[in-house]
Amino acid sequence: MNSSEESAVTGMSAGRPALRMGPAELVQAAAMARRFYLEGKSKIQIAEEFGVSRFKVARVLETALERDLVRIEIRVPAELDAERSDRLRARYGLRHAVVVESPAQAVEESPDPENLGEVAADLLGELVAEGDVLGLAWGRSTIHMAAALDRLPPCTVVQLTGVYDAGTAERGSVEAVRRAAQVSGGEAHPIYAPMLLPDSATAAALRNQTGIARAFEYFDKVTVAAVSIGSWEPGISTVHDMLTDEERAHYASLGVAAEMSAHLFDAEGRRVGRDLGERCITVEADRLRRIPEVVAIAGGQRKAAAIDAVLRSGLVTSLVTDTAAADQLLEAGPAPRPALDRADPDGS
């Protein structure tokens, strides 16, 4: 063991000196602590080595902690805020909540810092298992996430929404699906169609096209999904930006606070403007609710209210966000029902 490890095991804090442990006790306690904390030996193994009972070993290790012979530090990478993450998970009843430190240069007008995508990529590497079906919805954050992927078990990857603009498919969600499938070595099922169509008849006709219909067949098989969240304002929601001024005003009058995969929500997480979905190529809300793990990726102060609304919808189980959004979410009104209940606020 090197000198830094030795000091971590035997060092005393300035505030609390050891209380009358003799040199033999100190040496034995340090040795036992070294075996347990640094070498990973069990209490039974340590007891056999030192010729004492495992209960004696347990008492010695407890004393070593009480008297600062051992100092335990819990450290995560600097960019992750463990305390906010845990509080956010508990507040919304999420399976996972990961809060990333907002970039120092971040400004209020800049939602979804790119580092959210990098952390979300690592989280997917943990959550996806071999044989899973991974669903990816359109969104800047999911595109950043796909670009950052460097490990995934073998899995099928399916696109959950059409693209913002069919002409940008190579740089958007189609490419994200291809990238994820390339990393995993699995099949890719992209959707070569716009997200929003002029009317419901055109959307229905597209859904019946062979390639799109094949992707839709996988929706009920998706086990892990990654989605983005948008606020109902210019530049923060791709769906908002695709509509006419008259349409935006109409949906705003319904109390839209958030958008996710072309589904609109009010501040309480209730779905509004359901007619919009009839014109969209997207996974249905009831199918999203049945997916075991739905990870939302969204951050920034401007998105905090939208994130709160979507977390109340019962469609999301986990969240990757930043400290700017997390601080506002933690100060929001009464806590909602646990997200893992997957309850529909409409009761329908």
Side-chain angles (χ1 to χ4, degrees), residues 171-242:
R171 302 190 301 277
S173 46
V174 169
E175 180 57 30
V177 169
R178 287 175 174 167
R179 167 66 181 167
Q182 180 185 39
V183 172
S184 73
E187 295 181 5
H189 294 276
I191 293 177
Y192 295 95
M195 181 188 294
L196 180 66
L197 282 304
D199 52 65
S200 58
T202 304
L206 274 177
R207 291 190 200 104
N208 289 326
Q209 287 190 357
T210 302
I212 297 174
R214 186 178 299 116
F216 268 64
E217 289 173 359
Y218 274 91
F219 286 0
D220 286 329
K221 303 174 185 178
V222 173
T223 50
V224 181
V227 300
S228 296
I229 296 173
S231 301
W232 198 245
E233 55 181 306
I236 312 296
S237 164
T238 52
V239 172
H240 176 281
D241 293 346
M242 285 190 281

Side-chain angles (χ1 to χ4, degrees), residues 33 37 62 168 172 207 253 255 279 301 323 337 341-342 347:
Y37 292 107
E62 183 178 349
T168 65
R207 291 190 200 104
S253 72
R279 296 170 49 195
Q301 292 182 26
T323 52
R337 291 183 61 175
D341 284 358
R342 312 305 292 275

Side-chain angles (χ1 to χ4, degrees), residues 289-305:
R289 200 180 305 278
R290 293 196 296 267
I291 296 174
E293 182 73 85
V294 179
V295 181
I297 312 162
Q301 292 182 26
R302 289 177 67 184
K303 281 197 177 181

Side-chain angles (χ1 to χ4, degrees), residues 36 203 283 312 321:
F36 186 73
V283 61
R312 293 172 184 272
T321 190

Side-chain angles (χ1 to χ4, degrees), residues 6-184:
E6 188 76 39
S7 63
V9 171
T10 63
M12 310 291 180
S13 71
R16 290 192 303 163
L19 301 178
R20 290 192 172 277
M21 288 184 75
E25 291 177 304
L26 284 168
V27 170
Q28 184 182 70
M32 288 184 177
R34 186 184 302 110
R35 303 290 194 279
F36 186 73
Y37 292 107
L38 299 182
E39 299 175 13
K41 292 188 176 181
S42 70
K43 293 174 184 176
I44 293 177
Q45 290 174 314
I46 297 170
E48 291 175 350
E49 178 182 348
F50 287 88
V52 298
S53 72
R54 62 185 176 90
F55 303 104
K56 171 68 180 295
V57 173
R59 287 197 300 273
V60 169
L61 292 174
E62 183 178 349
T63 300
L65 283 171
E66 291 174 350
R67 300 187 179 184
D68 281 351
L69 284 139
V70 172
R71 292 193 295 268
I72 297 176
E73 293 182 80
I74 300 174
R75 295 194 294 178
V76 296
E79 68 174 351
L80 300 182
D81 192 309
E83 191 269 338
R84 283 185 177 92
S85 297
D86 190 53
R87 288 175 59 201
L88 202 60
R89 178 199 56 76
R91 172 176 168 76
Y92 287 94
L94 294 160
R95 183 172 290 117
H96 304 285
V98 182
V99 178
V100 180
E101 192 69 35
S102 299
Q105 71 275 17
V107 294
E108 192 173 317
E109 291 75 19
S110 301
D112 295 345
E114 288 193 21
N115 61 340
L116 291 187
E118 296 168 4
V119 173
D122 285 341
L123 179 61
L124 277 194
E126 290 184 65
L127 299 181
V128 176
E130 183 173 351
D132 274 347
V133 177
L134 171 62
L136 299 181
W138 162 267
R140 297 179 185 90
S141 55
T142 52
I143 291 169
H144 291 155
M145 178 206 68
L149 283 171
D150 59 9
R151 63 185 175 99
L152 272 181
C155 65
T156 299
V157 187
V158 60
Q159 193 169 323
L160 296 179
T161 64
V163 298
Y164 174 60
D165 180 342
T168 65
E170 292 301 319
R171 302 190 301 277
S173 46
V174 169
E175 180 57 30
V177 169
R178 287 175 174 167
R179 167 66 181 167
Q182 180 185 39
V183 172
S184 73

Side-chain angles (χ1 to χ4, degrees), residues 256-343:
V256 175
E259 174 267 318
M260 180 182 71
S261 302
H263 300 297
L264 309 181
F265 306 88
D266 68 11
E268 298 303 318
R270 294 183 294 257
R271 290 181 60 211
V272 295
R274 297 188 183 212
D275 60 303
L276 180 64
E278 298 175 3
R279 296 170 49 195
C280 293
I281 303 297
T282 186
V283 61
E284 300 94 327
D286 60 342
R287 279 176 156 171
L288 267 177
R289 200 180 305 278
R290 293 196 296 267
I291 296 174
E293 182 73 85
V294 179
V295 181
I297 312 162
Q301 292 182 26
R302 289 177 67 184
K303 281 197 177 181
I307 296 169
D308 178 70
V310 171
L311 292 181
R312 293 172 184 272
S313 73
L315 297 178
V316 169
T317 60
S318 297
L319 174 69
V320 178
T321 190
D322 66 347
T323 52
D327 286 343
Q328 293 197 31
L329 291 169
L330 291 169
E331 294 174 1
R337 291 183 61 175
L340 292 179
D341 284 358
R342 312 305 292 275

